[in-house]
Amino acid sequence: LVFATSLLLGTTITISSNHWVMAWTGLEINTLAILPLISKSHHPRAVEAATKYFLVQAAASTLVLFSSMTNAWYTGQWDITQLTHPTSSLILTAALSMKLGLVPFHFWFPEVLQGSPLTTGLLLSTVMKLPPITLLFMTSHSLNPALLTTLAILSAALGGWMGLNQTQTRKIMAFSSISHLGWMAIILIYYPKLTLLNFYLYAMMTATVFLTLNSMKVLKLSTLMTAWTKAPSLSTIFLLTLLSLAGLPPLTGFLPKWFIIQELTKQSMAPAAMIISLLSLLGLFFYLRLAYCATITLPPHTTNHMKQWHVNKPVSPLIAILTTLSIMLLPISPMILTIV
């Protein structure tokens, strides 16, 4: 409870702060609150994940502080929105991409996610990304467009390619997170609110996937293959959630991609839009693989496995609500656009 409260507190402090030092404090509280949740199981891999996470986040926080101090040194401003010095905005971009796990600073993220339990993995890929994205949102007008576009396209590419031959569900979710961050970063300068919208929808769909995997106790693809007998209805709807995360049209996940491509073409960045759309096909491939393992490939298998007992436990209402949202929000996109 203490750690959950600290997480909420840290996130809230960062989001609502105007002063760089307050933002930094919030990020630090967040990091310290999530560390015990990662290393809770005392498994060597969990401890290793916590150590990696701590080192990366500490380095990123130092860079955030360094960039804001450079900016204050040159302009005399500690206000977050007044980040005008080019060097400090460059350092800030690097620091926040380290915090988020954007390529080229993405190496820690799959490892940490693989070492932590599913619920902590959910926190790491949603809640922990909100403060850095908010900081990027607040400083978006002074960031370097070419740099961010490059980072975004690289993230979409590497997130797709490296996820292709993974067998661990947590690592697959980590790479999917990296490629989604690419989509968020590419639009950040031109239409920052779309970045936030994309983040909210991504967080919702990822929460659905993680909670479903958690309720089926699935950590790798081979267990996912036999899990369909435990909860057939959940597995079937899980297929739709995965396709939504891949961004296929009648589902919610298509909505942010559609808006982002539209906005990029308005900004005469059609080549970038085309490249990032083609790169999201790589993501579609591994989501389809997850979906195949979850519902489409049924026994007889070539691999030996134990049949699971069918559980008559009802699906938790939270998963039901989240799944419904992550499948059916596309028809109300005009309303979402008016809010954005």
Side-chain angles (χ1 to χ4, degrees), residues 101-307:
L102 270 172
V103 174
F105 309 105
H106 64 288
F107 297 102
W108 62 274
F109 189 53
E111 301 294 323
V112 170
L113 218 59
Q114 181 57 32
S116 46
L118 280 168
T119 38
T120 313
L122 165 63
L123 287 177
L124 278 172
S125 41
T126 55
V127 180
M128 299 302 291
K129 298 209 184 261
L130 183 57
I133 281 184
T134 320
L135 288 179
L136 280 174
F137 176 78
M138 290 197 266
T139 54
S140 59
H141 50 81
S142 53
L143 298 175
N144 182 349
L147 175 69
L148 265 179
T149 309
T150 317
L151 288 183
I153 287 177
L154 281 174
S155 295
L158 272 163
W161 263 311
M162 294 172 76
L164 289 182
N165 56 358
Q166 299 295 336
T167 54
Q168 303 284 340
T169 46
R170 285 170 294 188
K171 276 199 172 169
I172 291 181
M173 291 314 294
F175 288 117
S176 106
S177 178
I178 293 170
S179 57
H180 273 274
L181 281 171
W183 280 91
M184 291 174 219
I186 200 165
I187 198 66
L188 181 72
I189 292 174
Y190 307 104
Y191 199 156
K193 285 185 176 172
L194 263 187
T195 300
L196 281 185
L197 171 73
N198 192 347
F199 175 73
Y200 295 145
L201 293 176
Y202 157 75
M204 190 174 69
M205 294 183 289
T206 308
T208 317
V209 171
F210 269 111
L211 290 172
T212 308
L213 290 174
N214 191 35
S215 73
M216 296 197 289
K217 301 280 177 286
V218 169
L219 292 178
K220 47 184 194 291
L221 290 183
S222 51
T223 31
L224 190 59
M225 282 190 174
T226 60
W228 75 277
T229 45
K230 267 204 294 193
S233 54
L234 191 58
S235 299
T236 315
I237 294 186
F238 183 50
L239 163 86
L240 285 175
T241 314
L242 285 168
L243 293 182
S244 176
L245 202 51
L248 287 186
L251 308 165
T252 309
F254 178 59
L255 186 137
K257 285 190 166 53
W258 172 29
F259 288 160
I260 287 173
I261 292 172
Q262 189 181 348
E263 191 57 37
L264 284 174
T265 30
K266 275 185 200 163
Q267 302 287 350
S268 65
M269 284 179 63
M274 189 181 78
I275 293 168
I276 202 164
S277 317
L278 287 174
L279 288 172
S280 68
L281 289 176
L282 294 166
L284 174 65
F285 178 80
F286 59 77
Y287 291 124
L288 271 177
R289 224 173 88 200
L290 268 176
Y292 259 100
C293 289
T295 46
I296 305 173
T297 329
L298 302 182
H301 284 313
T302 47
T303 52
N304 293 329
H305 65 272
M306 298 284 288
K307 272 283 200 302

